[in-house]
């Protein structure tokens, strides 16, 4: 990633702070959940007291009736604790799932606002990783992370209070190892964070290597590099597990030390407490209660190490999510938007438009005007900037210099959804969703009637083939359904665009997979419907564009020739050359 | 990220998969044994704590024997140290073993991938294969380090506790374990409910991710057609379904944990009640009862833990199933049985005999191709896009087996040689020059130790790459970043030539880059190519005018068939396909050359 400067400067605290709005939404639930944690622990603390009382009573004369009462009491308290434990999970853990749900929705909604430029920067895989792994880590932070933190805190304070009420003197001794624990946790926390980060980075390097290898497998094989590649991978593999083992060493130390120090506390209680009992300053039952209280602390203390781990990971992942969520959409309605505009006519003007990506110029100083209802065709080699130019009309991309006017107004004045509502776009790479054919064709045409859909399918010469599908328009596409041929896909995409009856139709090499005969038929029908509409057509085939009102020839991001077919032929330049080549190609096709 | 696409709903335990995992565990068996010993030590030491407490209370505190108590405290200290060491040793050892098994698995998967045929890579997208090497291996790691270890630990602790309980007071122990059938029933019910709920969660998260992935890939279309709101609503619905399923499992867990605790308390109540009676009867001491209660507490935590391991096991089994499926794919070596070893350098005589080839079924890409190339001869292949040029060199390099006919090298079918021997005789320069992350030198040498610095320099110099390499900040040691994005097309081409020349093979196979380069670079490339072709059989998919003018013969491929063979002049005079291809691909270069020159 080239610019994550913003998030780098965000501190760990800032990452956590960005969670506050999500937590605040469930303030009540957290409060109630906290209460349940408190109740669970409060009731939980009664149990050792009861056991103490029971044991103490056994020291005297034991009555059968009292025994039964104690047994039932313990059972009742346990049942109550169980109920609160249930409620605690039902509130806190469920809330963390709500937050996960909210975060996922927000993430998706935010992606929907981002422009093409953003998706050029972040690959699908990268965004998916954030929506899955990172979201999970954050969920663990707000779920078990928060629950166990609250739990440990309340348990600790509660236990401390009960211990103090039993015997402050002994409590002070029992807590002796505590400062050491605090110091240890504090010092190891940063090391865990750093080592974890290093391990993640090493993992990233290993992954990148594997990815490079798989993408370049032909070269690897061509140069008989398989063994060498295995050795190289092994190095990454080795370094990665070395980091992990370092992490394991720190974690292992932390966890065993926590257990050790808690044990030391119990040992001190046995020693000092034993002495107190001998001196008759403490009852045997009280000592026993102390033991069960200490035993209750052991696990939460060890779990603290685990919670620290969760928190560190959650913070790192929240940072990665914030990197996306804090990227402002670069194309959106703004102060200059005139919301009174509800339709567009279709006149397009480019004024000195330039576009650069990563500092590399793609379009240079492009100017042209398309009057309403006219057709303009664009030709040029691969990489000459044709698609970029087309992408600017529906504002998928925005010029880095110059401006675009629609109906004589700067394009930014038109509300984005109005602009796009009146454009029918057929992209170069056909993208259909794994849904029914009908859903795909009516994708962007709310309120279109069935007749409109059928007409659109007829214009794009798809209707007859659809008639032959078993489920016709209800045929499912994609992995779970049928796979259309390249040409069928393109024609479905054309249907999808024209069913909107757009003021502007944009075809980006939209007939490349369609055979010449069908192309002819589609173009003929299109010309009828597009009579009063503006069209911009990008194509490699002269047959598609020769009848356009104006033809623009793009090369290295510049318009080098423009005019009608006849004018350009007379010019005998790049277009004429292209034309001649195409004639040869047609001849070749027949040989 | 196709991991989401293939949702395998694995069982938590699959004997067949476990059996296949065993060979990966075997090399570490001594350490596993050591870890189990450490675990055993930890478990025993852990149980000694309460026992020492009991002895301390019963024998010393109650008898007011403080010096005796100090001895117990000393033992307690020893136990704590022992516990610290054994716990650390056990945790670290298990992690060590887990990481090494992962290392081996990753190496096995990666190594296996290296030898799979290209057709396999055509079928499987990079993302999916990446998941095997990364996520799937990680899922197994979780099973080895947290699942399996803890499982052993829990089982050991449980058996230890039961043993001690019986040793202390067998009647009371019987009373305590009388709740086990109850626990068993509860766990069984829980497992059943949770299994279905987890299954539901997995399919639903798979749906969310599939939808997300589709929408990210097609975001431009979503935006162009103003579908943001509608698609968001759909996403929210999927998200909601997932949430609902999760809330259900939370409910089961929320019921299960307290139930286990309650059963624990029930056991405690029983102990106090029954133990009280025993104390009355004088067959049990106070200390005995206190220790008994402590052990009983320890008894119930592992039981709730065991249920939690279930999910880890389930996803680990699903992952290992996918990993082993990949490892079962047949490698190139499995298909080809070499019968002849190549000693030294081949002469480089190549013959295609009635070769037919299709990537799928009967969709022939090459039809009945026959031609011969003499040792040292230079051949150019020309043809329109889709005429089968690339396929032809793919077959020669043994990337795919031919369906009909045969390809012969020095008079033997190439299938009789090992792929290693075959490809070592060739330098294959592909159109898209692939550079690895590493230095310039490493990229030329590609791990071949035989290429010393001297040979490296000479090769670079011969293909005109030396001047630009020396201008780089660190010369040959300059790191190549992002697959050589900082190098120009021409420079990358020259590097590939240097690579080929340094290897000095008998056969050169070259797919020329189509991109335009400036005249100066064009001349450099042309000179380099002439030197590269010297003394070896060369087959070039030509895109440059200079190349077709410099070769001995040109083969014209058209729609998968050889239509014309001859020299440049001969073919032009035929006024056939070559003539037209020439006008399409090379005439412009000729004009430009004249203009420039």
């Amino acid at each position: 990633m080239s610019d994550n400067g913003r998030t780098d400067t965000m501190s760990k605290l800032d990452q956590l702070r960005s969670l506050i709005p999500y937590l605040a939404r469930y303030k009540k639930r957290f409060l109630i959940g906290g209460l349940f944690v408190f109740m669970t622990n409060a009731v939980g603390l009664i149990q050792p007291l009861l056991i103490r009382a029971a044991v103490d009573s056994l020291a005297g004369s034991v009555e059968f009736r009292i025994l039964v009462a104690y047994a039932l009491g313990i059972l009742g308290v346990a049942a109550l604790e169980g109920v609160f434990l249930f409620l605690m999970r039902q509130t806190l853990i469920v809330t963390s799932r709500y937050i996960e749900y909210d975060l996922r929705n927000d993430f998706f909604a935010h992606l929907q606002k981002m422009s093409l430029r953003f998706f050029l920067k972040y690959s699908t895989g990268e965004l998916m990783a954030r929506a899955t792994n990172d979201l999970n880590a954050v969920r663990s932070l707000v779920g078990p992370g928060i629950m166990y933190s609250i739990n440990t805190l309340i348990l600790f304070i509660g236990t401390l209070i009960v211990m103090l009420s039993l015997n402050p003197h002994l409590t002070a001794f029992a807590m002796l190892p505590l400062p050491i624990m605090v110091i240890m946790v504090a010092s190891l926390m940063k090391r865990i964070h750093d080592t974890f980060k290093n391990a993640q980075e090493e993992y990233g390097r290993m992954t990148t290597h594997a990815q490079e290898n798989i993408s370049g497998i032909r070269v690897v094989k061509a140069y008989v590099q398989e063994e060498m590649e295995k050795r190289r991978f092994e190095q990454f593999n080795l370094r990665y597990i070395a980091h992990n083992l370092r992490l394991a060493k720190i974690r292992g130390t932390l966890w065993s030390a926590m257990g050790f120090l808690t044990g030391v506390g119990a040992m001190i209680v046995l020693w000092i407490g034993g002495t107190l009992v001998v001196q008759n300053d403490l009852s045997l039952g009280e000592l026993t209660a102390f033991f069960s209280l200490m035993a209750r602390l052991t696990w939460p203390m060890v779990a603290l190490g685990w919670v620290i781990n969760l928190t560190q990971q959650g913070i790192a992942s929240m940072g990665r999510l914030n990197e996306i969520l804090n990227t402002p959409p670069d194309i959106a309605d703004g102060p200059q938007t005139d919301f009174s505009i509800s339709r567009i006519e279709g006149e397009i003007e480019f004024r000195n438009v330039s576009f650069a990506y990563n500092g590399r110029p793609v379009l240079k100083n492009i100017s042209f005007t398309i009057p309403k209802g006219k057709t303009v065709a664009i030709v040029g080699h691969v990489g000459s900037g044709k698609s970029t130019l087309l992408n600017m009309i529906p504002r998928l991309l925005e010029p880095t210099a110059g401006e675009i006017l629609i109906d004589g107004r700067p394009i930014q004045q038109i509300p984005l959804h109005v602009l796009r509502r009146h454009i029918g776009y057929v992209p170069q790479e056909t993208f259909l969703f794994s849904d029914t054919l009908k859903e795909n064709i009516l994708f962007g045409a709310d309120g279109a009637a069935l007749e409109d859909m059928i007409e659109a399918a007829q214009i794009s010469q798809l209707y007859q083939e659809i008639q032959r599908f078993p489920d016709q328009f209800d045929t499912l596409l994609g992995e779970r359904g049928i796979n259309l041929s390249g040409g069928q896909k393109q024609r479905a995409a054309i249907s999808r665009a024209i069913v909107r009856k757009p003021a502007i139709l944009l075809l980006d090499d939209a007939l490349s997979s369609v055979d010449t005969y069908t192309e002819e038929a589609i173009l003929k029908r299109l010309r009828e419907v597009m009579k009063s509409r503006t069209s911009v057509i990008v194509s490699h085939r002269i047959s598609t564009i020769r009848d356009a009102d104006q033809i623009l020839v793009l090369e290295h991001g510049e318009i080098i020739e423009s005019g009608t077919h006849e004018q350009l032929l007379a010019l005998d330049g790049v277009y004429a050359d292209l034309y001649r080549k195409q004639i040869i190609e047609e001849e070749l096709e027949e040989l | 990220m196709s991991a989401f696409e293939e949702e395998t709903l694995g069982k938590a335990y699959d004997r067949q998969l476990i059996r296949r995992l065993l060979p990966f565990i075997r090399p570490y068996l001594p350490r596993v044994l050591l870890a189990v010993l450490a675990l055993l030590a930890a478990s025993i030491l852990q149980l000694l704590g309460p026992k020492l407490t009991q002895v301390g209370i019963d024998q010393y505190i109650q008898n007011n024997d403080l010096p005796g108590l100090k001895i117990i405290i000393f033992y307690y200290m020893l136990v704590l140290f022992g516990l610290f060491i054994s716990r650390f040793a056990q945790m670290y050892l298990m992690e060590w073993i887990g990481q090494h098994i992962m290392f081996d698995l990753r190496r096995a998967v990666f190594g296996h991938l290296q030898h799979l045929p290209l057709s396999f890579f055509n079928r499987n997208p990079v993302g999916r294969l990446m998941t095997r090497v990364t996520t799937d291996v990680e899922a197994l790691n979780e099973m080895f380090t947290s699942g399996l270890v803890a499982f052993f630990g829990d089982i050991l602790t449980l058996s230890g506790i039961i043993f001690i309980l019986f040793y202390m007071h067998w009647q009371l122990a019987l009373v305590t374990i009388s709740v086990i059938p109850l626990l068993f029933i509860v766990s069984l019910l829980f497992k059943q409910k949770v299994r279905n709920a987890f299954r539901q969660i997995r399919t639903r998260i798979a749906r969310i991710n599939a939808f997300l992935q589709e929408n990210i890939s097609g975001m431009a279309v979503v935006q162009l057609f103003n579908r943001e709101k509608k698609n968001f609503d759909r996403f929210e619905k999927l998200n909601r379904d997932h949430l609902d399923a999760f809330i259900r499992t939370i409910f089961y867990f929320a019921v299960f944990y307290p139930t286990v605790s309650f059963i624990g308390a029930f056991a405690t109540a029983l102990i106090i009640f029954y133990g009280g009676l025993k104390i009355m009867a004088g067959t049990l001491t106070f200390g005995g009862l206190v220790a008994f209660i402590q052990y009983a507490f320890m008894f119930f935590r592992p039981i709730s833990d065991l249920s939690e391991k279930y999910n880890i096991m389930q996803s680990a089994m699903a992952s290992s199933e996918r990993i082993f499926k990949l490892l079962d794919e047949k490698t190139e070596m499995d298909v080809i049985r070499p019968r002849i070893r190549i000693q030294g350098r081949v002469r480089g005589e190549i013959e295609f005999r009635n070769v037919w080839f299709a990537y799928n079924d009967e969709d022939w890409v090459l039809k009945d191709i026959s031609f011969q190339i003499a040792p040292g001869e230079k051949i150019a292949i020309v043809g329109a896009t889709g005429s089968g040029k690339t396929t032809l060199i793919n077959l020669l390099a043994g990337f795919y087996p031919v369906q009909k006919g045969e390809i012969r090298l020095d008079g033997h079918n190439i299938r009789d040689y090992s792929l290693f021997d075959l490809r070592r005789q060739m330098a294959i320069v592909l159109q898209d020059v692939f550079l690895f992350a590493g230095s310039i030198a490493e990229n030329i040498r590609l791990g071949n130790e035989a290429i010393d610095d001297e040979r490296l320099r000479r090769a670079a110099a011969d293909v005109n790459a030396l001047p630009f390499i020396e201008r780089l900040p660190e010369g040959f040691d300059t790191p190549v970043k992002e697959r050589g994005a900082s190098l120009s097309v021409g420079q990358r081409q020259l590097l590939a030539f240097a690579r080929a020349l340094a290897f000095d093979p008998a056969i050169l196979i070259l797919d020329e880059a189509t991109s335009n380069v400036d005249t100066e670079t064009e001349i450099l490339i042309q000179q380099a190519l002439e030197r590269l072709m010297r003394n070896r059989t060369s087959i070039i998919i030509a895109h440059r005018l200079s190349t077709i003018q410099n070769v001995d013969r040109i083969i014209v491929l058209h729609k998968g068939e050889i239509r014309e063979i001859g020299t440049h002049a001969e073919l032009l005079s035929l006024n056939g396909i070559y003539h037209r291809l020439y006008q399409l691909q090379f005439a412009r270069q000729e004009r430009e050359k004249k203009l420039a020159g």
Side-chain angles (χ1 to χ4, degrees), chain A residues 29-60:
Chain A
R29 281 175 158 271
F30 274 113
L31 233 59
I32 295 173
L35 192 72
F36 288 140
V37 174
F38 178 77
M39 292 307 290
T40 308
N41 285 305
V43 174
L45 283 172
I46 298 175
Q47 188 130 312
L49 296 180
L50 254 180
I51 295 175
R52 177 195 67 157
V55 172
D56 275 354
S57 81
L58 286 173

Side-chain angles (χ1 to χ4, degrees), chain A residues 147-164:
Chain A
M147 187 177 81
Y148 286 117
S149 298
I150 297 179
N151 194 37
T152 305
L153 194 73
I154 289 180
L155 187 69
F156 186 76
I157 293 171
T159 311
L160 200 65
I161 290 171
V162 176
M163 281 169 122
L164 280 171

Side-chain angles (χ1 to χ4, degrees), chain A residues 204-221 229 232-233 236, chain B residues 110 113-114 121 126-127 129-130 133 432 434-439 443 446 480-485 499:
Chain A
R205 278 191 279 274
M206 182 177 78
T207 314
T208 310
H209 176 77
Q211 184 151 19
E212 261 187 24
N213 169 277
I214 299 172
S215 320
I217 195 78
R218 236 158 75 97
V219 183
V220 173
K221 289 180 179 299
E229 277 297 295
R232 272 159 54 92
F233 182 74
F236 287 102
Chain B
F110 186 84
L113 276 177
Q114 302 307 303
F121 292 92
V126 180
L129 300 178
M130 288 299 299
V133 188
D432 180 19
F434 198 90
L435 297 176
F436 295 96
S439 68
N443 263 291
L446 286 178
V480 172
K481 282 181 195 140
E482 290 172 55
R483 298 197 188 160
R499 196 188 261 176

